[in-house]
């Protein structure tokens, strides 16, 4: 898949924080979030996972992620039940659109970063990194996702 540089607006999210190995914790976070989303008629909105730690340097038991559903900018979270209202930053992002059929999200992230780090124009800026789910593969194992990493332009060498 090709790496693209895109501008994204800030997004208001309702999120459920999970801690632990991503492949184990994110699914349980989405189960909690989906119950809330069904009660509040938010199931047709965009779904994503916002990652806060690099699994190459953070121990698996300390990895933090926020399975999230996008909500309107004026949304008020009135019954939090372990949920948080937050804003995913807008800005410049590297985007990588792909389909995952074998459940190996880590492999796709490594491919994405391999291309991004080879870029001579942009580099990760550490502000935000997330998966935006275009399809729900929980039943058929086929996930269409866009991976996003916030980036900054690399200054030209003079």
């Amino acid at each position: 898949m090709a790496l693209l540089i895109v501008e994204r607006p800030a997004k208001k999210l309702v999120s459920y924080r999970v801690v632990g190995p991503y492949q184990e914790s994110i699914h349980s976070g989405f189960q909690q979030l989906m119950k809330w989303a069904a009660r509040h008629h938010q199931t047709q909105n965009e779904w994503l996972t916002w990652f806060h730690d690099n699994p190459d340097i953070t121990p698996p038991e300390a990895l933090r992620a926020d399975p999230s559903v996008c909500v309107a900018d004026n949304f008020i979270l009135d019954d939090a039940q372990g949920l948080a209202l937050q804003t995913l930053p807008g800005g410049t992002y590297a985007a990588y659109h792909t389909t995952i059929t074998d459940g190996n999200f880590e492999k796709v992230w490594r491919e994405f970063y391999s291309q991004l780090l080879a870029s001579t124009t942009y580099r990760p800026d550490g502000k935000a990194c997330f998966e935006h789910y275009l399809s729900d593969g929980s039943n058929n194992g086929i996930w269409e996702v866009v991976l996003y990493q916030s980036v900054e332009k690399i200054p030209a060498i003079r």
Side-chain angles (χ1 to χ4, degrees):
M1 302 291 142
L3 180 77
L4 300 172
I5 302 298
V6 299
E7 292 296 320
R8 287 193 46 95
K11 292 276 187 169
K12 182 81 66 108
L13 310 172
V14 171
S15 305
Y16 187 86
R17 171 68 51 94
V18 295
V19 179
Y22 289 147
Q23 67 275 13
E24 298 169 16
S25 62
I26 292 172
H27 177 72
S28 64
F30 271 115
Q31 288 179 322
Q32 295 297 320
L33 186 60
M34 289 170 68
K35 291 175 191 173
W36 175 89
R39 284 194 314 274
H40 292 84
H41 310 289
Q42 301 295 320
T43 58
Q44 299 303 313
N45 296 3
E46 294 177 77
W47 291 81
L48 56 90
T49 300
W50 185 355
F51 298 95
H52 298 282
D53 300 298
N54 179 341
D56 289 339
I57 58 174
T58 303
E61 65 277 3
L63 292 170
R64 296 167 300 143
D66 295 336
S68 305
V69 61
C70 296
V71 293
D73 287 340
N74 62 351
F75 186 85
I76 297 171
L77 183 62
D78 56 0
D79 65 339
Q81 301 174 355
L83 301 170
L85 189 61
Q86 56 187 339
T87 301
L88 183 68
T92 306
Y93 284 84
Y96 189 70
H97 184 176
T98 191
T99 301
I100 300 169
T101 59
D102 61 0
N104 195 343
F105 284 75
E106 180 182 350
K107 175 184 167 198
V108 174
W109 274 104
R110 293 201 182 278
E111 291 169 359
F112 173 42
Y113 277 111
S114 172
Q115 286 188 30
L116 179 56
L117 295 175
S119 168
T120 59
T121 311
Y122 289 90
R123 64 180 171 218
D125 68 4
K127 292 180 185 171
C129 125
F130 64 98
E131 295 171 347
H132 175 200
Y133 307 104
L134 305 180
S135 70
D136 179 359
S138 57
N139 291 327
N140 64 6
I142 300 171
W143 297 88
E144 184 180 0
V145 298
V146 181
L147 310 181
Y148 288 96
Q149 169 63 61
S150 58
V151 294
E152 63 188 0
K153 197 161 186 70
I154 298 173
I157 299 173
R158 296 181 191 249

